[in-house]
Amino acid sequence: MLSSLASENQNPRQNDILAALPLEDYQRLLPDLEFVSMPLGWALYEAGQKLTHAYFPTNSIVSLLYVMENGSSAEIAVTGYDGLVGIALFMGGNTTPSRAVVQSAGFGYRLKASALKREFQLGGKLQQLALSFTQALITQMAQTAVCNRHHTVDQQLCRWLLLSLDRLPTNHLKMTQELIANMLGVRREGVTEAAGKLQNEGIISYSRGLILVLDRPRLEKRVCECYAVVKKEFDRLLPQKHLHENTAAPNLRDKRLHMYLKD
């Protein structure tokens, strides 16, 4: 029942890549797009597992993680409505050493591997968008590696918050400090201290696993250069959803934010 009600408010065009497809291409793909609920912590695929679907998030966020033999992990990239999950399908690998886990619950659409490959091989708009997204994703991975090596936990947290916010329809995230620590590959105490500083300065509000960003401009001033590098590349290579009139996402974003603040 819940998925039925949720699907009424969802539209494949709420994903940037699907929104940018020409009408003919979109209609050809539409019968193969399957609406899916994406709960927090759901693994879309595990390391080394053969991919069977590509996923196009609409209001959820998916983290790409590398997991070590001892169980420790670190996030290498994050994807939301700006892209897709499963680039190995059209890059020729079909598997990947990373795992994909839902970081922020929501919904999306999935496409069978065969349908994605068929469309990609046509050499049309989807191929162009998928390759542009892959280039932007590689930039994000490289910058994440640099950030984790050279910048403080405070700066890494700010980067992570901003990258996540850019891929959500609201200004709040439901995420525990333990999960954030796992994403960043740092100790929980470090995240607790960094989040505490931001909260004391009135930049964020954190309570019971819910992070509300109160002052984004000040958050942007605190972040390292890595965020700007990634954002610039994504803006350069990929279409922006707010430019598309056929998606209801901006109105949905405003409505959810209003409802949250009202509560």
Side-chain angles (χ1 to χ4, degrees):
M1 180 67 174
L2 179 60
S3 295
S4 177
L5 291 174
S7 64
E8 294 179 3
N9 294 321
Q10 292 292 305
N11 184 323
R13 293 285 204 175
Q14 287 173 283
N15 176 277
D16 282 4
I17 290 181
L18 297 178
L21 292 177
L23 184 58
E24 180 181 352
D25 294 6
Y26 176 71
Q27 290 179 335
R28 183 172 58 247
L29 208 58
L30 191 56
D32 294 312
L33 290 170
E34 177 188 358
F35 175 74
V36 288
S37 174
M38 301 176 70
L40 180 66
W42 178 41
L44 278 61
Y45 59 77
E46 297 289 351
Q49 181 181 34
K50 184 177 181 180
L51 277 63
T52 59
H53 294 83
Y55 292 82
F56 297 83
T58 53
N59 64 346
S60 57
I61 294 181
V62 178
S63 290
L64 303 184
L65 301 164
Y66 265 83
V67 183
M68 308 300 289
E69 290 183 355
N70 63 4
S72 61
S73 62
E75 182 181 82
I76 57 172
V78 59
T79 300
Y81 59 62
D82 59 322
L84 64 91
V85 180
I87 64 171
L89 288 173
F90 56 80
M91 294 299 289
N94 291 319
T95 64
T96 173
S98 65
R99 68 192 300 254
V101 179
V102 177
Q103 166 191 304
S104 182
F107 303 97
Y109 291 82
R110 70 180 185 179
L111 186 66
K112 287 184 178 179
S114 57
L116 177 67
K117 291 178 180 178
R118 177 199 69 208
E119 193 67 25
F120 187 85
Q121 289 170 1
L122 292 177
K125 186 67 172 180
L126 180 62
Q127 183 189 84
Q128 175 192 334
L129 291 167
L131 291 176
S132 293
F133 171 73
T134 300
Q135 180 176 337
L137 192 67
I138 291 172
T139 298
Q140 184 185 164
M141 291 177 177
Q143 205 65 39
T144 297
V146 172
C147 189
N148 291 346
R149 174 66 178 83
H150 293 286
H151 294 143
T152 65
V153 174
D154 292 32
Q155 291 173 314
Q156 292 178 47
L157 177 60
C158 291
R159 170 184 58 81
W160 184 86
L161 287 171
L162 287 169
L163 287 176
S164 297
L165 282 175
D166 286 348
R167 290 155 178 81
L168 282 175
T170 67
N171 68 335
H172 66 276
L173 303 117
K174 192 171 184 180
M175 177 67 66
T176 65
Q177 292 185 8
E178 184 176 357
L179 285 174
I180 296 175
N182 289 337
M183 297 294 178
L184 298 179
V186 299
R187 296 181 62 187
R188 178 178 177 179
E189 292 79 4
V191 173
T192 300
E193 182 180 351
K197 291 179 183 178
L198 295 176
Q199 180 160 258
N200 291 337
E201 294 181 24
I203 297 175
I204 68 169
S205 172
Y206 179 81
S207 177
R208 297 181 180 179
L210 188 67
I211 302 174
L212 173 65
V213 175
L214 304 171
D215 194 335
R216 177 167 179 141
R218 289 176 63 196
L219 185 63
E220 291 179 346
K221 289 182 180 179
R222 292 284 297 270
V223 77
C224 54
E225 66 198 71
C226 299
Y227 168 69
V229 171
V230 174
K231 187 177 187 305
K232 182 179 179 180
E233 191 71 349
F234 270 81
D235 289 347
R236 180 179 74 88
L237 292 170
L238 297 166
Q240 301 302 299
K241 180 161 56 179
H242 67 269
L243 296 178
H244 303 296
E245 297 179 357
N246 54 359
T247 177
N251 292 334
L252 184 62
R253 179 187 301 114
D254 294 341
K255 180 179 179 181
R256 286 181 176 162
L257 179 57
H258 174 72
M259 289 173 62
Y260 176 76
L261 292 177
K262 184 178 180 180
D263 293 340

